[in-house]
Amino acid sequence: RWRDEVVAAATAVADDAGRQPLTDVELVAIVYYNRGVALLAEERYEQAIAACVKALALDRENRPARRNLMAAINNWAVALSDQRDFDASLALLRQGRRLAPDFETFAQNERLVSRRAEAFGRNQDPLPTSAEALSTEALSAEAPAAEQPTGR
């Protein structure tokens, strides 16, 4: 019964917008996307990434899920950098760059994390923390407010 109500509501929204109704698979993809948004807000990055990947596996055209995936990768890398796990942070950022080469935030943060790691290795005062310096402005420009990371 609830499924019929969800499908009816999705069909009504699609009709109002002049689009085709969502398929069952697209509805499931939206559920995974929404779960990914919630997990990202809780800073549960690995689970958020898994949810976004599932959403994209079901619906490759789900742009919000793709943006949320990029935000989860970026924010996890930033959190790892703040914990001084520079190698893991850099590995995530490089993975992100392979996934989305045009997403400049990954390249910017990779440079900043590399400099932080170098400064920390020389026992200098490390560069500012992510909250002060690492770039999130590209996320702000590309992702709707609900998809933006919290606390980073």
Side-chain angles (χ1 to χ4, degrees):
R1 177 163 168 80
W2 66 269
R3 182 192 172 286
D4 293 336
E5 292 173 10
V6 170
V7 171
T11 301
V13 169
D15 288 344
D16 289 345
R19 289 181 264 155
Q20 294 292 320
L22 296 173
T23 66
D24 289 349
V25 172
E26 290 169 326
L27 284 172
V28 174
I30 290 171
V31 169
Y32 278 113
Y33 160 74
N34 288 336
R35 183 72 178 132
V37 169
L39 290 163
L40 180 57
E42 295 172 3
E43 297 181 3
R44 295 170 54 192
Y45 304 114
E46 190 170 5
Q47 294 99 335
I49 289 169
C52 291
V53 167
K54 287 177 185 176
L56 288 167
L58 293 168
D59 180 5
R60 290 180 147 304
E61 302 303 314
N62 190 329
R63 289 182 302 209
R66 184 165 177 76
R67 286 191 304 265
N68 206 50
L69 173 62
M70 291 185 295
I73 292 169
N74 183 70
N75 291 359
W76 192 9
V78 169
L80 288 167
S81 175
D82 287 346
Q83 298 164 14
R84 294 192 171 113
D85 190 348
F86 302 118
D87 290 338
S89 176
L90 289 168
L92 269 173
L93 290 167
R94 289 179 186 126
Q95 222 173 0
R97 287 182 69 194
R98 282 192 298 276
L99 221 94
D102 296 334
F103 190 65
E104 185 58 28
T105 301
F106 291 142
Q108 292 168 354
N109 284 345
E110 185 178 350
R111 288 188 296 272
L112 288 166
V113 170
S114 292
R115 285 188 287 187
R116 285 186 78 199
E118 186 179 313
F120 187 75
R122 291 188 305 222
N123 293 325
Q124 296 177 353
D125 288 334
L127 296 175
T129 65
S130 62
E132 299 165 346
L134 294 179
S135 175
T136 56
E137 68 187 46
L139 288 176
S140 300
E142 291 185 30
E147 299 171 311
Q148 290 182 17
T150 58
R152 301 253 175 248

